[in-house]
């Protein structure tokens, strides 16, 4: 009984005093990263909050949440990022696209680093089975197709065009190959 009461008290405390942008995450809150960006060199902020070796607990998780403030911060951070930071931010925006396409679609094709091929999909490893890759791609496609904002039709079309080409390629890879004879001809 005491353990249950303690857990309820701690949970209540976190709900009342915890930061809303921290809900469900262990990483930094967006306001902390924004303050760091304003107070110091952007490269220092990238090094402190965007760990290239670790996703969990980093600002990448915040971006992937799809919240409008995190997506806006991602756009700003891309102006200062390079190499792994850029790739991590783009992959996080791709994940955010699955969760909140209305917040990410406005960024599509604004700059070369925000092109449809970089932010319409999350990072999808080619080491996972093709069916799992197709499932991730479909998740993004469905989220984007569900957007019905006339102001975002160009961005939506760019994402769907990119996604369709990837789905076609993955489906070709997934289809069974006809057997080949030793001389390379089909039997």
């Amino acid at each position: 009984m005491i353990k249950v009461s303690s857990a309820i008290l701690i949970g209540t405390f976190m709900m009342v005093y915890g930061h809303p942008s921290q809900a469900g995450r262990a990483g930094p809150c967006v306001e902390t990263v924004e303050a760091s960006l304003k107070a110091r060199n952007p490269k220092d902020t990238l090094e402190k909050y965007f760990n290239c070796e670790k996703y969990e607990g980093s600002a990448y998780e915040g971006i992937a949440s799809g919240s409008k403030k995190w997506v806006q911060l991602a756009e700003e951070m891309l102006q200062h990022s390079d190499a792994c930071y850029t790739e991590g931010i783009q992959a996080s925006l791709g994940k955010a696209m699955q969760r909140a396409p209305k917040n990410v679609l406005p960024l599509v094709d604004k700059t070369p680093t925000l092109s449809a091929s970089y932010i319409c999909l999350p990072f999808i490893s080619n080491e996972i089975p093709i069916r799992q890759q197709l499932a991730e791609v479909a998740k993004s496609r469905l989220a984007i197709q569900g957007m019905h904002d006339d102001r975002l039709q160009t961005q939506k079309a760019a994402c769907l065009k990119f996604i369709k080409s990837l789905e076609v390629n993955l489906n070709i890879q997934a289809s069974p190959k006809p057997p080949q004879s030793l001389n390379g001809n089909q039997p």
Side-chain angles (χ1 to χ4, degrees):
M1 180 73 169
I2 293 174
K3 287 182 181 179
V4 173
S5 296
S6 297
I8 291 171
L9 283 174
I10 291 170
T12 303
F13 180 82
M14 291 307 291
M15 285 173 41
V16 173
Y17 297 105
H19 201 281
S21 64
Q22 284 292 93
R25 296 188 320 98
C29 66
V30 69
E31 292 81 8
T32 302
V33 180
E34 287 174 329
S36 174
L37 183 60
K38 288 177 184 157
R40 59 172 80 182
N41 180 324
K43 294 290 183 192
D44 292 342
T45 300
L46 283 165
E47 289 173 9
K48 183 171 183 177
Y49 296 106
F50 295 83
N51 185 336
C52 290
E53 304 298 319
K54 182 179 164 209
Y55 177 83
E56 290 79 21
S58 72
Y60 297 122
E61 283 186 311
I63 294 167
S65 74
S67 91
K68 192 169 188 157
K69 287 183 87 170
W70 273 112
V71 169
Q72 289 169 341
L73 180 68
E75 180 181 15
E76 186 172 352
M77 294 309 300
L78 280 171
Q79 296 171 26
H80 309 287
S81 68
D82 58 14
C84 74
Y85 298 121
T86 297
E87 291 174 4
I89 293 169
Q90 290 168 328
S92 296
L93 285 169
K95 194 63 162 172
M97 185 72 81
Q98 292 178 331
R99 295 176 174 152
K102 72 180 183 308
N103 293 337
V104 184
L105 274 173
L107 301 182
V108 173
D109 292 334
K110 279 181 84 172
T111 67
T113 57
L114 290 167
S115 75
S117 62
Y118 291 130
I119 68 168
C120 292
L121 293 172
F123 172 75
I124 302 171
S125 173
N126 63 0
E127 295 178 8
I128 63 173
I130 290 177
R131 291 289 169 216
Q132 285 179 295
Q133 293 178 49
L134 282 166
E136 274 298 303
V137 173
K139 187 175 180 181
S140 295
R141 179 178 36 78
L142 292 171
I144 294 164
Q145 284 175 332
M147 285 298 304
H148 301 289
D149 184 334
D150 290 340
R151 296 169 294 177
L152 299 174
Q153 290 307 306
T154 301
Q155 295 91 333
K156 178 181 175 180
C159 282
L160 293 175
K161 180 180 178 184
F162 170 70
I163 288 171
K164 182 178 180 176
S165 70
L166 184 61
E167 282 181 315
V168 166
N169 188 350
L170 288 170
N171 280 314
I172 289 170
Q173 292 177 48
S175 63
K177 309 285 186 269
Q180 298 283 321
S181 68
L182 293 177
N183 65 3
N185 296 325
Q186 293 182 1

